[in-house]
């Protein structure tokens, strides 16, 4: 679901693939819902990487900061 760019892990499906973001969050042990409601992108009924505390948006997708800690 991610590819490595420099020393970061970038979500390979971009900013609008909601199904893949949900699928990725379901597989992630480190998912934490962002508590800032202004930062939530999708519904919170299902976990989504788009709503995760550890994502940082970049120009074409987001970077998983937690994945970078454990897999770099």
């Amino acid at each position: 679901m991610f590819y490595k760019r420099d020393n970061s892990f970038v979500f390979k499906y971009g900013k609008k693939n909601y199904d893949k973001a949900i699928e990725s969050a379901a597989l992630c042990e480190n998912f934490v819902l962002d508590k800032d409601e202004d930062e939530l992108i999708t519904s919170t009924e299902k976990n989504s990487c788009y709503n995760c505390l550890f994502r940082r948006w970049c120009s074409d997708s987001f970077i998983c900061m937690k994945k970078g800690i454990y897999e770099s």
Side-chain angles (χ1 to χ4, degrees):
M1 298 271 176
F2 293 84
Y3 66 91
K4 196 167 183 178
R5 181 169 62 196
D6 299 322
N7 287 323
S8 300
F9 288 86
V10 180
F11 185 64
K12 68 180 182 181
Y13 298 102
K15 294 182 175 182
K16 296 188 177 183
N17 195 325
Y18 303 102
D19 290 338
K20 288 293 185 184
I22 289 170
E23 185 180 332
S24 180
L27 299 171
C28 182
E29 297 175 357
N30 300 306
F31 176 84
V32 176
L33 182 66
D34 195 326
K35 301 293 184 206
D36 186 352
E37 291 184 11
D38 292 342
E39 298 291 326
L40 299 178
I41 304 300
T42 64
S43 167
T44 56
E45 291 180 23
K46 294 182 180 178
N47 290 343
S48 168
C49 287
Y50 291 154
N51 292 337
C52 183
L53 179 67
F54 301 113
R55 54 99 175 80
R56 297 293 177 266
W57 295 108
C58 58
S59 62
D60 54 344
S61 188
F62 70 87
I63 296 167
C64 178
M65 304 304 288
K66 201 69 162 182
K67 194 169 194 63
I69 292 171
Y70 293 113
E71 297 184 24
S72 59

